[in-house]
Amino acid sequence: MKLLITGGAGFVGSALAISLKTNYPDYQVFALDNLKRRGSELNISRLKQAGVEFIHGDIRNKEDFDAFPPVDAVIEASAEPSVLAGLDGTPDYLINTNLVGTVNCLNYALKHKADFIFLSTSRVYPIKTIETLNFVEEETRFALSDEQPVPGASSKGIAEDFPLNGARSLYGTTKLASELIIQEYNEFYNLRTVINRCGVITGPWQMGKVDQGVMVLWIAKHYFEQQLGYFGYGGTGKQIRDMLHVADLYRLIDWQLHHIDKVNGEILNAGGGLESSASLQELTKICQEVTGKTIPIKVVPENRTADIRLYVTDNTKVTALTGWKPEIGIRQIVEEITAWLAENEEALAPILK
């Protein structure tokens, strides 16, 4: 099998590329990336070492695709992933990467009759609707109630039939627009596709920032003994997310790659679920225990732009269709990222400190 992974030097793309090449040595795996995000350059040597072929190019440029070899499947893992992208000025780069870039990838896949696996986001679900959900305030976290004002929400989390009307961030909108176009290619061009709406993905080699990669950011701030803050929702740190280890995501993508007919045309939520969820307050406690360090955390009661109180993925559909469910919990994620920071401190300090 020949595979093209876009965003292939990014956190998710490189993890998928290296795992696929390691588990299927006879596969030819190409990793395409424009190296815009700081830290992605550190993955080039890792890709090469694994036997992955790196291509320096940009999905925004359809001319770049003319030079690519034919492949059997495309894994579209490229994105400008910041939920705040485009809000401080022009959204051109965001739209050209996350929407126009996806169209270029689709046309390339169509040309070679390649299967198409798309990594979308839970951010396609509208902010205001999520903020109206019924919740209970527990000792260390907010939790969803079973009784909800809209379909697709329960104490298990958010499901695929959650309403899509409303604003969701420019990032979420570009991904949702891509989803709609992918469905058209699936229906009218008979391109085999699957869309994965991923929750918070994390793990070693993620270059975490405030607006994307919060898990690594939180652990790194503890490791390097710097300050953090509980922002919004009264400054209690009770807002909650579920965390999906990139190795768990790999197992799902691997299954889809080899059973595409069973998920062809599907849209699937994929996240850590309730079992692998944590509030900032709970995450802080685990970071203190694992790193052995306690850092100052300031309290800022005011909410931040595009933030949400809670998001947990309901994996019911994807588990029923594929048998997949995440296996790696919060503590193991913190332990792995802490070990990675210790092992690569010199290279990572300028980026994460």
Side-chain angles (χ1 to χ4, degrees), residues 52-103:
V52 175
E53 298 175 50
F54 175 71
I55 301 171
H56 189 209
D58 199 313
I59 63 167
R60 294 175 298 166
N61 302 330
K62 58 185 178 183
E63 296 88 354
D64 283 5
F65 286 86
D66 294 337
F68 300 164
V71 295
D72 302 297
V74 175
I75 299 171
E76 227 284 62
S78 65
E80 164 47 68
S82 169
V83 75
L84 299 178
L87 297 182
D88 59 350
T90 171
D92 290 358
Y93 178 76
L94 174 77
I95 292 168
N96 289 332
T97 300
N98 291 7
L99 180 53
V100 177
T102 298
V103 173

Side-chain angles (χ1 to χ4, degrees), residues 47-318:
L47 291 165
K48 188 177 178 183
Q49 200 173 354
V52 175
E53 298 175 50
F54 175 71
I55 301 171
H56 189 209
D58 199 313
I59 63 167
R60 294 175 298 166
N61 302 330
K62 58 185 178 183
E63 296 88 354
D64 283 5
F65 286 86
D66 294 337
F68 300 164
V71 295
D72 302 297
V74 175
I75 299 171
E76 227 284 62
S78 65
E80 164 47 68
S82 169
V83 75
L84 299 178
L87 297 182
D88 59 350
T90 171
D92 290 358
Y93 178 76
L94 174 77
I95 292 168
N96 289 332
T97 300
N98 291 7
L99 180 53
V100 177
T102 298
V103 173
N104 290 336
C105 292
L106 282 165
N107 288 333
Y108 165 76
L110 195 62
K111 178 181 174 183
H112 299 296
K113 296 181 171 59
D115 297 332
F116 196 85
I117 296 175
F118 184 64
L119 296 189
S120 189
T121 172
S122 59
R123 280 291 184 170
V124 300
Y125 300 116
I127 292 169
K128 285 181 182 173
T129 315
I130 291 174
E131 288 290 82
T132 62
L133 295 179
N134 296 327
F135 68 93
V136 292
E137 184 171 350
E138 298 177 350
E139 191 180 345
T140 60
R141 64 162 65 191
F142 299 121
L144 283 165
S145 308
D146 254 331
E147 292 296 318
Q148 294 295 345
V150 295
S154 70
S155 59
K156 287 190 292 188
I158 307 297
E160 292 82 356
D161 56 339
F162 193 85
L164 291 173
N165 292 334
R168 58 191 47 78
S169 78
L170 286 165
Y171 161 61
T173 296
T174 56
K175 298 300 271 187
L176 181 59
S178 291
E179 287 188 15
L180 293 171
I181 292 170
I182 289 165
Q183 290 173 74
E184 298 297 318
Y185 274 66
N186 177 274
E187 178 70 23
F188 296 109
Y189 295 139
N190 296 313
L191 191 70
R192 296 197 300 182
T193 66
V194 61
I195 292 165
N196 298 292
R197 289 177 178 163
C198 301
V200 177
I201 308 169
T202 192
W205 293 103
Q206 184 177 36
M207 305 303 161
K209 300 189 292 184
V210 170
D211 54 345
Q212 198 272 326
V214 67
M215 184 85 171
V216 169
L217 172 82
W218 212 261
I219 299 163
K221 291 294 186 189
H222 277 83
Y223 183 86
F224 291 115
E225 297 185 87
Q226 296 179 303
Q227 190 177 57
L228 281 169
Y230 291 148
F231 288 86
Y233 305 102
T236 60
K238 290 187 180 182
Q239 56 264 59
I240 182 178
R241 300 289 186 274
D242 59 334
M243 309 288 178
L244 179 62
H245 193 296
V246 72
D248 276 332
L249 175 63
Y250 164 73
R251 290 190 302 105
L252 177 62
I253 302 301
D254 183 8
W255 191 95
Q256 291 176 347
L257 204 53
H258 298 96
H259 303 86
I260 191 79
D261 275 335
K262 294 182 181 177
V263 287
N264 182 26
E266 294 288 353
I267 296 174
L268 304 171
N269 281 4
L274 260 182
E275 299 75 19
S276 183
S277 66
S279 67
L280 289 178
Q281 194 181 127
E282 292 163 352
L283 181 57
T284 297
K285 187 171 186 292
I286 296 169
C287 287
Q288 289 170 349
E289 291 168 0
V290 172
T291 65
K293 297 171 181 177
T294 300
I295 60 171
I297 298 181
K298 64 181 177 181
V299 170
V300 182
E302 294 77 26
N303 294 359
R304 290 194 294 190
T305 305
D307 202 3
I308 51 178
R309 184 188 307 276
L310 38 72
Y311 185 88
V312 176
T313 307
D314 183 348
N315 288 317
T316 302
K317 182 181 177 182
V318 68

